[in-house]
Amino acid sequence: MFQSELAIMLYVENINDALAFWQGIGFVGQKIDDNSATIKPAADSQVTLNLYAKAFIREVSPEVVDNVPSLMFQANEFDALHAKVIAVSDAVGEIVIAPGLGRVFNFADPDGHYYAVCEVK
């Protein structure tokens, strides 16, 4: 049966740059080796993002290297997070109101993958 924990794989050009970016906006994580790292939004999170070097994925599973998930994070310190992301990314969207979601913004990581964040109170 499925467990309550969830791991999502993200394929990145540079493990060190990706890890520094995610840690820069508050994620906790560690580099596993030259080809992988793990990060979580918080130490006790049940969601883990596994970062893998695209060069490695091209060798072991080339059919998935270009797969990009669409992820939406939830944040309770929404404005502080928006400011933190602005400090480390050149690609951060304005805060807008989305029907059914409330306040949201998006941002891109160093590889150009976009993510959304919605406010939770």
Side-chain angles (χ1 to χ4, degrees):
M1 291 297 182
F2 289 106
Q3 299 293 307
S4 59
E5 293 83 17
L6 178 66
I8 299 167
M9 298 182 291
L10 299 176
Y11 308 132
V12 300
E13 292 296 335
N14 184 298
I15 291 293
N16 294 328
D17 290 349
L19 184 59
F21 170 81
W22 289 105
Q23 288 175 327
I25 61 172
F27 277 62
V28 296
Q30 63 183 10
K31 185 174 176 180
I32 305 301
D33 57 33
D34 289 339
N35 293 314
S36 62
T38 62
I39 58 172
K40 291 182 170 193
D44 62 350
S45 176
Q46 292 186 328
V47 175
T48 301
L49 301 180
N50 293 325
L51 308 176
Y52 292 101
K54 283 185 176 182
F56 171 71
I57 297 300
R58 280 187 190 98
E59 290 176 20
V60 299
S61 196
E63 67 279 3
V64 302
V65 74
D66 293 322
N67 290 354
V68 180
S70 182
L71 302 178
M72 178 178 288
F73 298 103
Q74 298 178 339
N76 57 356
E77 295 179 17
F78 187 79
D79 294 304
L81 179 59
H82 187 251
K84 187 179 266 193
V85 176
I86 287 172
V88 299
S89 177
D90 294 332
V92 181
E94 304 252 340
I95 295 172
V96 298
I97 305 296
L101 292 176
R103 297 192 327 142
V104 299
F105 72 90
N106 65 12
F107 66 92
D109 69 11
D111 286 289
H113 302 142
Y114 273 84
Y115 304 90
V117 179
C118 70
E119 182 177 36
V120 202
K121 294 180 182 186

